[in-house]
Amino acid sequence: MPTRRLLGALCALALLAAPLAAGELQMKLRFQQETEPQSGQYHRLTRDEAWQPEKTAIIVCDMWDLHHCQNAVLRGQEFAPRLNDLLKQARDAGATIIHAPSGCMQKYADHPARKRAEQTPKAADIPADINAWCHKIPAEENGTYPVDQSDGGNDDEPQQHAKWAAELTAQGLDAHIPWSKQTDLLTIDAERDYISDKGDEVWSILAQREIDNVILTGVHTNMCVLGRPFGLRQLSKNGKNVVLMRDLTDTMYNPAAWPFVNHFTGTDLIVSHIEKFVCPTVTSDQILGGEQFAFAEDKRPHVVMVMAETEYETAQTLPKFGGDFLGRDFRVTYVYGSATDPNSLPGLEKALATADVLLISVRRRALPAEQLEAVRKYVAAGKPMVGIRTASHAFGLRGKEPPEGTETWEEFDAEVWGGSYSNHYPNGIKSMVETVEANAAHPILRSVTREPFPQGGSLYQTAPLADGTTMLLAGKIEGKPAEPLAWTFRRADGGWSFYTSLGHKDDFTNKSFQRLLLNSIYWAAGLEVPNHFDLSKPAPPQRKG
């Protein structure tokens, strides 16, 4: 190997080992905190913790050799090699590894790791219900469970599933319960590891080894990882500092069930529920270094919606819109303005680090320098932008001096949207929205009515538009010049933007506006705008937990 490549490889190895080199695990715990009590809106935040490896355990939940859902098997096999690498590195650093392939203890009856678990002295403080499944903890009463898994969550195609069941039966297995052991893709260290699926045994292992921190990984998050006697709920409610490793897990969720989203979006929804009500989450790169794991089939662009305005209530309308229409093809993150500091968008920098589309609904906010710099950096990279309503004056204070420690971007409208917002007509004067016929074939207008329709709020005065814009919709008031209402813009940095001054809460009830906004996000992400899209969403099941 040439010297340069050898040095590069050694540097890479040093970086991989860096999380443990100082004798501590430098963990970044992600959690969600309500913006204010009873708001139903959450900031996605992180906090740093330093964990001693010898005070840390990793529990591997139900990484079975087989499953009645073939897709579940394939996904488990995909992330198992990285999980195995993580277990080795953590084990060598002094962490305790507990393998928990539930219902398979007979297979390991004579295994030293199973004997070690059985021979662990019973702890004096074993919780009364630790050997029972836990289907809900009190904190979860504050939210609606985010997916319907009542069908078992099998996402195999019918023909695929029938073929898989036949293969399992031909092997002499019960096609409904084919597992008998943990996957061979994970190594069980006979000298150091434990094997147990019992709540009291796992609790006793943690007690004997004086373990403070517990990581749960494996499958399936919405069922076993949450509910098992050694799962997230039991450990959280009984006081353990427990986290989910969110990139080395999966769900049993069928996209044919409510909320009718992509399988990976279903997993994201469960992870979000856990971060709000159960415990924080972490990722494998915090131990292994490099990048966190992502499934090869998860190709969803990441849409970040930033909401910080009060007049039009987009903190309510946009998340509902995203939940109803974007979960099939996108990963969506919501960033809200702080309820206590009008000039802060908590979680913005982290969200923008992986954003593919940035949607802005902000009104006259100055931001801390690091937050505004994150927006500037995103725009300068030529990435796509979508703006609605007050996004034309998102980061400007009409030339007023910003509060100490904050900055403005007064040219945001001109530089990012290509607009010239100056004011708006009185609220009582209604305008009509009309298509610019010369551009009617633009994909953003696909399935948007060609008939004039009323605007929900006041008409913004946005003319003149900059060079590089293509006007799609105009707003008209009798006796007044037409105003640009929706357009695209090729920015100086080479990136594309879409802006519309629509976005009043009444606009969100209009199917043409819904379709316009939906189309703009597909277009911004570089995806084909669907010819047809169901804008009538069934209500969620009336149940909790």
Side-chain angles (χ1 to χ4, degrees):
M1 179 185 290
T3 302
R4 184 175 296 178
R5 291 179 61 193
L6 176 58
L7 289 173
L10 291 173
C11 289
L13 287 173
L15 286 173
L16 288 176
L20 299 176
E24 292 183 334
L25 293 169
Q26 301 300 323
M27 306 301 292
K28 189 173 290 292
L29 280 61
R30 194 176 81 181
F31 62 101
Q32 296 189 44
Q33 185 177 80
E34 210 164 12
T35 57
E36 54 187 330
Q38 308 303 315
S39 70
Q41 300 162 16
Y42 291 81
H43 295 308
R44 179 173 282 176
L45 306 172
T46 60
R47 68 173 182 264
D48 295 329
E49 293 186 3
W51 292 2
Q52 296 297 324
E54 64 273 13
K55 298 286 188 180
T56 301
I58 301 177
I59 300 177
V60 182
C61 178
D62 294 355
M63 285 290 289
W64 292 314
D65 55 339
L66 292 168
H67 197 275
H68 57 75
C69 173
Q70 187 181 33
N71 284 338
V73 174
L74 296 174
R75 286 189 293 266
Q77 290 174 343
E78 187 177 352
F79 75 74
R82 181 169 177 86
L83 174 54
N84 195 54
D85 290 343
L86 181 139
L87 297 179
K88 182 181 187 306
Q89 185 146 320
R91 180 190 294 120
D92 290 346
T96 297
I97 310 300
I98 304 173
H99 303 267
S102 303
C104 301
M105 294 302 102
Q106 186 58 38
K107 181 75 175 181
Y108 299 100
D110 297 322
H111 196 289
R114 177 70 191 124
K115 295 289 188 182
R116 187 173 297 110
E118 290 179 311
Q119 293 166 6
T120 299
K122 288 290 184 282
D125 63 342
I126 295 177
D129 61 350
I130 197 66
N131 284 319
W133 269 75
C134 186
H135 297 283
K136 185 189 291 187
I137 59 176
E140 291 177 272
E141 298 289 350
N142 296 323
T144 301
Y145 196 70
V147 300
D148 181 2
Q149 58 198 46
S150 58
D151 65 352
N154 191 317
D155 66 318
D156 290 347
E157 294 294 331
Q159 188 174 7
Q160 171 197 9
H161 190 62
K163 182 180 178 182
W164 177 242
E167 289 179 15
L168 294 173
T169 301
Q171 296 175 44
L173 301 171
D174 182 342
H176 300 288
I177 312 174
W179 52 85
S180 63
K181 62 178 181 176
Q182 184 169 272
T183 175
D184 291 335
L185 295 172
L186 300 179
T187 299
I188 301 174
D189 189 312
E191 301 300 320
R192 292 180 284 182
D193 292 358
Y194 295 80
I195 300 174
S196 178
D197 64 353
K198 302 182 186 301
D200 58 347
E201 284 184 356
V202 171
W203 188 270
S204 296
I205 295 166
L206 300 178
Q208 184 197 45
R209 299 184 68 83
E210 299 181 342
I211 286 170
D212 300 322
N213 312 299
V214 184
I215 299 171
L216 258 290
T217 181
V219 294
H220 290 99
T221 304
N222 56 325
M223 296 180 177
C224 300
V225 176
L226 265 172
R228 290 281 185 191
F230 53 81
L232 294 174
R233 288 188 178 112
Q234 282 283 22
L235 294 181
S236 176
K237 78 172 186 176
N238 286 300
K240 293 297 182 184
N241 187 30
V242 63
V243 300
L244 167 71
M245 185 156 281
R246 65 180 181 269
D247 64 328
L248 298 183
T249 190
D250 189 28
T251 52
M252 286 300 293
Y253 168 68
N254 180 5
W258 182 85
F260 310 104
V261 295
N262 181 287
H263 173 86
F264 302 111
T265 299
T267 300
D268 288 346
L269 291 172
I270 292 294
V271 169
S272 180
H273 178 84
I274 289 169
E275 291 175 346
K276 292 172 183 174
F277 306 115
V278 182
C279 68
T281 69
V282 297
T283 49
S284 60
D285 56 301
Q286 295 171 35
I287 293 177
L288 283 176
E291 298 292 326
Q292 61 182 267
F293 174 82
F295 288 101
E297 289 301 311
D298 185 5
K299 303 181 186 303
R300 298 168 299 155
H302 182 200
V303 177
V304 174
M305 294 188 178
V306 182
M307 297 150 286
E309 61 79 32
T310 56
E311 187 172 359
Y312 301 111
E313 302 179 17
T314 53
Q316 285 78 42
T317 55
L318 277 171
K320 184 179 187 307
F321 173 86
D324 285 348
F325 305 127
L326 297 182
R328 188 182 74 180
D329 293 317
F330 298 94
R331 176 165 69 96
V332 185
T333 296
Y334 305 103
V335 176
Y336 299 93
S338 169
T340 57
D341 181 356
N343 299 310
S344 181
L345 298 169
L348 178 66
E349 305 100 301
K350 185 71 173 178
L352 289 187
T354 58
D356 297 302
V357 177
L358 174 57
L359 188 153
I360 297 286
S361 178
V362 177
R363 181 179 184 272
R364 301 210 180 280
R365 304 287 176 119
L367 295 181
E370 61 272 16
Q371 291 186 5
L372 194 59
E373 178 57 28
V375 178
R376 289 183 180 276
K377 182 178 178 181
Y378 175 92
V379 173
K383 293 186 175 182
M385 299 282 291
V386 173
I388 66 171
R389 202 64 177 161
T390 59
S392 59
H393 41 291
F395 307 117
L397 300 179
R398 296 191 181 98
K400 294 180 182 178
E401 193 70 21
E404 185 177 355
T406 68
E407 297 179 1
T408 58
W409 189 350
E410 297 291 345
E411 304 80 18
F412 187 71
D413 186 24
E415 294 179 3
V416 174
W417 309 124
S420 302
Y421 172 79
S422 57
N423 208 333
H424 61 82
Y425 286 98
N427 291 329
I429 301 176
K430 296 298 181 183
S431 63
M432 297 298 291
V433 180
E434 297 185 2
T435 301
V436 177
E437 289 301 328
N439 299 318
H442 196 285
I444 290 179
L445 294 179
R446 189 167 295 164
S447 297
V448 175
T449 182
R450 296 293 183 266
E451 297 297 320
F453 62 89
Q455 181 177 358
S458 61
L459 178 62
Y460 278 11
Q461 294 166 307
T462 56
L465 296 183
D467 292 341
T469 56
T470 299
M471 189 162 69
L472 305 179
L473 298 176
K476 292 192 174 180
I477 292 175
E478 187 175 352
K480 300 292 183 182
E483 292 287 344
L485 198 77
W487 62 87
T488 64
F489 178 48
R490 184 73 171 207
R491 306 190 304 265
D493 53 63
W496 283 100
S497 295
F498 168 79
Y499 171 82
T500 177
S501 59
L502 297 172
H504 187 279
K505 64 179 181 179
D506 292 342
D507 290 326
F508 278 88
T509 67
N510 184 314
K511 291 194 184 307
S512 281
F513 172 72
Q514 291 176 353
R515 187 61 205 245
L516 177 79
L517 186 57
L518 182 65
N519 290 352
S520 73
I521 294 171
Y522 275 87
W523 172 84
L527 300 181
E528 179 69 21
V529 174
N531 286 315
H532 303 286
F533 206 99
D534 182 10
L535 297 180
S536 313
K537 285 293 183 180
Q542 295 300 306
R543 67 181 184 85
K544 293 204 174 188

